[in-house]
Amino acid sequence: ELKVEQNPLFLSMQEGKNYTIYCNYSTTSDRLYWYRQDPGKSLESLFVLLSNGAVKQEGRLMASLDTKARLSTLHITAAVHDLSATYFCAPQRDDKIIFGKGTRLHILP
Amino acid sequence: EPEVTQTPSHQVTQMGQEVILRCVPISNHLYFYWYRQILGQKVEFLVSFYNNEISEKSEIFDDQFSVERPDGSNFTLKIRSTKLEDSAMYFCASKTEGNTEAFFGQGTRLTVV
């Protein structure tokens, strides 16, 4: 059974700082998603990572995937307040997507 | 760009009432899913549906829940007798066959009072 662990679950950081969110999963997966969710809102797809070593970047966010370590990271560079949200990783295996608990990111001005 | 659409965006219902949440998956997709997110918590898998039958369901998906694809376009989630703890955001998702990307709808916020 696919299990997902995200850490940290809560992160408060100052603007301008860098930080990384980690996502470990228990079995091989076909792909891995990162989503952003603002309070009370839907899931916004950020990245879809397909293969070992995949790296994708959009603005201040960069996601990577290491399938051998079963680890994905979401790196935030020079954080700004607008990035405050909850971030979920979600590996997909056998047509099923399982979500991590999410990382609530709070960026202080 | 094709998208998964869900209606209504917000539904309020009284405890014990039946509720049907509707989803229109992307037209050529074959796999359909429902997920649930209780406020402030993780997104939980409820059920997957393929070839007109449930392919997998979680322990949350008990006899109070059912899914149906009544026509060629809609995919519904029915909760027979709602409880307060059914209050959550419900997300529908769909994908094509094989190792392909799944797409999520905007969600329906269900409030049981």
Side-chain angles (χ1 to χ4, degrees):
Chain A
E1 185 187 339
L2 179 59
K3 295 188 187 302
V4 186
E5 274 193 24
Q6 246 181 276
N7 67 83
L9 298 182
F10 183 78
L11 177 58
S12 183
M13 56 193 288
Q14 287 195 314
E15 277 192 327
K17 300 290 187 183
N18 303 332
Y19 211 81
T20 301
I21 299 169
Y22 297 88
C23 173
N24 288 93
Y25 52 97
S26 59
T27 65
T28 56
S29 76
D30 300 320
R31 61 186 60 221
L32 187 140
Y33 304 83
W34 281 97
Y35 292 96
R36 168 184 170 144
Q37 187 180 42
D38 293 302
K41 303 293 184 181
S42 184
L43 299 165
E44 176 190 349
S45 178
L46 295 175
F47 302 107
V48 183
L49 303 169
L50 295 178
S51 57
N52 188 42
V55 177
K56 290 194 175 180
Q57 182 162 5
E58 182 73 35
R60 299 174 189 274
L61 300 177
M62 183 173 72
S64 67
L65 180 62
D66 181 344
T67 57
K68 293 178 182 176
R70 295 177 190 159
L71 169 68
S72 181
T73 61
L74 181 67
H75 186 74
I76 302 138
T77 302
V80 292
H81 180 67
D82 284 352
L83 291 178
S84 295
T86 299
Y87 293 84
F88 292 95
C89 73
Q92 177 180 327
R93 176 183 164 87
D94 294 336
D95 302 315
K96 185 174 166 185
I97 302 165
I98 298 296
F99 284 76
K101 289 185 176 180
T103 296
R104 188 174 298 181
L105 180 63
H106 182 53
I107 298 170
L108 305 167
Chain B
E1 186 177 321
E3 59 181 17
V4 177
T5 57
Q6 290 185 242
T7 55
S9 56
H10 189 194
Q11 176 145 7
V12 181
T13 190
Q14 287 203 321
M15 193 168 55
Q17 294 296 304
E18 176 184 284
V19 67
I20 297 175
L21 309 183
R22 291 184 165 77
C23 170
V24 179
I26 296 172
S27 63
N28 63 334
H29 284 190
L30 300 173
Y31 287 83
F32 314 112
Y33 306 86
W34 284 102
Y35 285 77
R36 178 183 84 173
Q37 185 185 32
I38 295 171
L39 186 64
Q41 298 187 25
K42 67 184 282 190
V43 180
E44 300 172 291
F45 170 77
L46 289 179
V47 66
S48 59
F49 191 87
Y50 171 72
N51 201 24
N52 287 319
E53 61 183 24
I54 291 173
S55 50
E56 190 171 352
K57 60 182 181 179
S58 72
E59 57 193 25
I60 302 168
F61 193 89
D62 61 22
D63 292 344
Q64 290 298 310
F65 292 90
S66 62
V67 289
E68 196 176 35
R69 189 157 161 81
D71 52 42
S73 59
N74 290 284
F75 178 53
T76 62
L77 175 69
K78 182 194 290 186
I79 308 173
R80 276 183 247 290
S81 177
T82 49
K83 303 188 277 282
L84 293 176
E85 53 264 39
D86 293 327
S87 295
M89 182 80 97
Y90 289 81
F91 292 103
C92 172
S94 71
K95 65 184 283 293
T96 59
E97 202 147 17
N99 183 10
T100 57
E101 183 177 351
F103 294 86
F104 280 80
Q106 293 300 300
T108 293
R109 179 171 298 284
L110 176 66
T111 303
V112 183
V113 296

